[in-house]
Amino acid sequence: MTPFAAPVRDLRFVLEELLEHGSLSLPGFEEASPDLVEAVLEEAARLAGEVWAPLNASGDRQGCTRREDGGVSVPDGFAEAYRAYAEGGWNGIGVAEALGGQGLPEVVASAVQEMLHGANMALGLCPMLTAGAIEALAHHGSDEQQATYLPRLVEGSWTGTMNLTEPQAGSDLSKVRTRAVPQQDGSYRLFGQKIYITWGEHDAAENIIHLVLARKPDAPEGNKGISLFLVPKFLVNADGSLGDRNDVTCAAIEHKLGIHGSPTCTLAFGENDGAIGYRVGEEGRGLNHMFTMMNEARHKVGVQGIGVAERACQHAFAYALDRTQGRSPRSGRDDCAIADHLDVRRMLLSMRARTDALRALALYCAAQLDVARHAEEDAERAAAQARVDVLIPVVKAFSTDQAVEIASLGVQVHGGMGYIEETGAAQLLRDARIAPIYEGTNGIQALDLAGRKLQRDGGAALAGLIDQVEATAAALAADAELAPLGESLVGGAADLRAAMAAVLEAGADPERGADAVQAYATPFLSLAGHVLCAWQMGRAALAATAAIANGRDEPFYQAKRQAADYAIRQWLPQGRAQRAVIEAGMASLAAFDAATQ
């Protein structure tokens, strides 16, 4: 597989020239500086490229093994690579200093996460889930729970998991049946089974802290009866040392399409006397508390998809520049590199433009998270949070859908060799395919956007984002060279605004509103993703043009303008077609009966 080089130059472009390091000016980040951020990115790139990336292919081939004692052995080198990450302090990069972290902005932590997922997605899942556990405990854990568990989770010597799904309870968590029986000492004994638990058992850390949805025996049915519980793999003594093994075991590991180096476990709670657990937060509000963890994870899954897309780009570019085949359409020479052929160039430019656009949008969302958490004014925090609420389902769903397409194009660039496992292109496609499914399928993300998020504020937050798209389009139109980009972008903004009005109107129908929102949700999210990504590339075109005018006529800026032109004038029209899909109505969907086909 082609060696992976973390995209530090483009990450710096987004942080420095598009976002202008805005997060560093927020309260709490006074000690951070652009020079520090640059140093962090460079060191993270070294860890990703030299330590994590070389294990990607071997981890895929070897996979994970469930031992006779119920433990799980991860692929050779994974435990050492994870420990190098934890010992370097990377696990706490975006965690507040008061909790033992580095206290850097979320936007910087997201940039680092993208590098690591691009290097080794299967290994990157371990700290991603731990970050969600930290977030959940920091918001909802008791003082004692935070004092006992957060320091070890933040330093990475303990890892975290999220336990929602059961055989009968997938996306519909109201059907959770795992029982939590109260004990006289205030603890609980848990009995039940959870499936698809990422890094649910492994030998890379001292302890695993499971956050588990369960219900008391007398709890009401439905979502209101579900509470959140903390169940450690090893019980923790009063002095912080590890005690007895808890009654939670790995019953099986899944054999999956991809991410073979990530142990996806079936966990059995209470095969003997019951797994000892402790309630986190309020009784009956487990889903609300778990969503704190899930929102963190959903943004990071989007970032994860972008990391894999970046690696697919690098892999395809390297192959296309090395592989010779056919006559060059430019020079007429035989045996030219296939990168000379216009159709291959189309695929390569499409991969690069989309990956750059997705990265810029995901980091913009992370920067808004920083504002929502750290801005001085309540109104500024609330407005940023409203933007985040709209953007997270787009970042998660659109980025991961596009990552699958980008990785698939990467296979296509390789031709027949892409279908052969030894080149590594196929692994990237197999790995990317899970991301649209977990942490809430992309259909659920679309319903979240078009239903809950759009309907609750009448589209106000999204309308504000469209205003910004239109402002960028006007700036592009003011430059004669960039005017065609402005024209296309303003058309995309108009389509998104019209589609939003149509979805809001349909959702207000008292009889068929819910059905209409379901019918329109996925095309609406696709349209929103295309427009918002094109907006970011419009901003990139303006920044690159300014840099060139100021004498920084580097190949990087010329390439950025080419990518922006492709994204806005050739990729955006594909998304704009989704307006016609929405306006065509839902008659065929409503009439369709799968049982009669």
Side-chain angles (χ1 to χ4, degrees):
M1 181 176 279
T2 302
F4 174 71
V8 175
R9 180 66 184 89
D10 199 58
L11 289 165
R12 287 185 55 197
F13 171 75
V14 177
L15 295 176
E16 297 170 8
E17 299 181 60
L18 297 189
L19 299 174
E20 297 179 324
H21 276 313
S23 294
L24 299 184
S25 64
L26 294 168
F29 301 128
E30 292 82 3
E31 300 301 316
S33 68
D35 287 344
L36 175 62
V37 171
E38 183 178 352
V40 166
L41 295 181
E42 293 290 348
E43 186 59 24
R46 186 201 65 76
L47 176 69
E50 297 179 12
V51 181
W52 280 38
L55 300 172
N56 195 44
S58 61
D60 179 67
R61 289 191 299 269
Q62 182 181 356
C64 301
T65 304
R66 182 179 178 273
R67 303 189 303 267
E68 290 186 3
D69 63 1
V72 172
S73 297
V74 296
D76 294 343
F78 269 45
E80 293 79 5
Y82 172 74
R83 289 168 195 149
Y85 163 89
E87 290 166 4
W90 296 105
N91 208 53
I93 186 172
V95 180
E97 291 183 274
L99 298 177
Q102 307 295 322
L104 287 173
E106 179 65 31
V107 72
V108 178
S110 295
V112 171
Q113 284 295 309
E114 189 210 309
M115 297 188 217
L116 294 170
H117 285 298
N120 193 323
M121 177 179 170
L123 181 53
L125 280 164
C126 180
M128 190 184 87
L129 271 296
T130 302
I134 292 169
E135 191 78 5
L137 287 177
H139 280 82
H140 306 297
S142 66
D143 290 345
E144 181 181 1
Q145 288 169 350
Q146 291 180 6
T148 301
Y149 299 100
L150 277 180
R152 298 293 187 88
L153 287 168
V154 171
E155 72 181 19
S157 57
W158 298 353
T159 62
T161 72
M162 181 163 56
N163 290 246
L164 294 83
T165 308
E166 299 177 5
Q168 79 293 338
S171 298
D172 185 3
L173 293 173
S174 67
K175 292 182 168 56
V176 163
R177 290 288 174 264
T178 298
R179 293 181 301 119
V181 180
Q183 305 297 300
Q184 290 186 349
D185 63 358
S187 67
Y188 293 78
R189 298 271 179 167
L190 273 70
F191 301 87
Q193 186 182 85
K194 297 290 183 176
I195 61 174
Y196 303 150
I197 308 306
T198 300
W199 282 78
E201 171 59 33
H202 61 85
D203 53 1
E206 298 171 357
N207 202 3
I208 304 172
I209 308 304
H210 304 291
L211 292 183
V212 185
L213 290 182
R215 58 176 77 244
K216 291 172 57 179
D218 60 351
E221 294 295 316
N223 292 339
K224 292 184 179 180
I226 299 173
S227 298
L228 181 63
F229 298 88
L230 184 158
V231 181
K233 173 181 173 179
F234 289 101
L235 300 175
V236 181
N237 297 320
D239 62 359
S241 63
L242 297 184
D244 294 336
R245 175 71 187 259
N246 206 353
D247 189 10
V248 51
T249 58
C250 175
I253 54 174
E254 302 295 344
H255 301 283
K256 310 183 295 290
L257 176 69
I259 53 171
H260 295 154
S262 170
T264 303
C265 301
T266 295
L267 293 184
F269 294 85
E271 292 289 285
N272 297 300
D273 297 329
I276 297 174
Y278 311 93
R279 197 182 75 229
V280 176
E282 300 177 45
E283 184 175 321
R285 290 182 57 81
L287 273 182
N288 305 74
H289 300 336
M290 186 66 90
F291 271 113
T292 301
M293 188 175 187
M294 289 183 70
N295 278 332
E296 167 78 16
R298 285 173 173 175
H299 179 263
K300 292 304 181 293
V301 169
V303 170
Q304 179 185 79
I306 298 162
V308 179
E310 173 62 37
R311 188 156 197 181
C313 279
Q314 293 185 23
H315 209 55
F317 271 70
Y319 184 82
L321 290 167
D322 181 68
R323 170 69 167 161
T324 58
Q325 190 77 39
R327 182 182 295 271
S328 170
R330 292 189 289 184
S331 68
R333 294 175 53 188
D334 290 330
D335 293 327
C336 69
I338 63 171
D340 266 7
H341 297 297
L342 284 176
D343 192 60
V344 176
R345 276 191 262 169
R346 174 190 60 81
M347 291 189 284
L348 295 174
L349 182 53
S350 175
M351 295 172 72
R352 173 47 62 206
R354 287 193 274 177
T355 300
D356 288 0
L358 295 167
R359 173 180 298 121
L361 185 64
L363 291 180
Y364 172 83
C365 180
Q368 291 300 306
L369 272 167
D370 285 328
V371 176
R373 294 167 179 171
H374 297 279
E376 291 183 335
E377 301 296 329
D378 290 345
E380 188 178 4
R381 289 198 299 272
Q385 187 60 54
R387 287 189 286 273
V388 166
D389 289 344
V390 167
L391 287 168
I392 280 182
V394 177
V395 169
K396 193 281 182 185
F398 193 65
S399 297
T400 55
D401 279 343
Q402 291 296 315
V404 173
E405 291 193 23
I406 290 165
S408 182
L409 274 178
V411 172
Q412 190 72 18
V413 169
H414 283 74
M417 290 303 296
Y419 206 66
I420 305 301
E421 285 288 351
E422 67 190 70
T423 66
Q427 181 195 340
L428 298 174
L429 176 57
R430 290 188 287 100
D431 286 353
R433 192 58 189 85
I434 184 59
I437 298 173
Y438 58 20
E439 303 306 338
T441 66
N442 284 359
I444 288 175
Q445 303 306 311
L447 288 171
D448 181 42
L449 174 66
R452 194 161 65 97
K453 302 293 175 55
L454 200 64
Q455 306 295 328
R456 75 182 182 188
D457 70 352
L462 181 57
L465 288 169
I466 298 173
D467 290 343
Q468 294 185 56
V469 176
E470 291 171 338
T472 297
L476 290 166
D479 185 307
E481 196 174 359
L482 300 177
L485 279 67
E487 181 180 352
S488 181
L489 186 57
V490 77
D495 288 337
L496 181 56
R497 202 180 287 279
M500 179 176 70
V503 172
L504 285 169
E505 182 181 0
D509 186 323
E511 294 185 2
R512 304 192 70 187
D515 287 345
V517 168
Q518 282 205 41
Y520 303 148
T522 291
F524 181 73
L525 186 144
S526 178
L527 173 56
H530 278 91
V531 172
L532 294 173
C533 280
W535 165 45
Q536 292 300 313
M537 293 308 284
R539 298 177 66 229
L542 292 167
T545 299
I548 292 169
N550 290 327
R552 300 171 64 190
D553 193 5
E554 306 168 22
F556 174 85
Y557 291 112
Q558 296 292 352
K560 185 63 68 177
R561 283 178 43 141
Q562 293 164 4
D565 186 271
Y566 183 91
I568 297 172
R569 300 178 66 192
Q570 298 193 45
W571 181 43
L572 174 59
Q574 299 175 33
R576 292 181 63 182
Q578 299 304 308
R579 175 181 175 180
V581 174
I582 293 169
E583 291 176 345
M586 55 178 284
S588 59
L589 289 177
F592 177 72
D593 183 354
T596 65
Q597 300 300 306

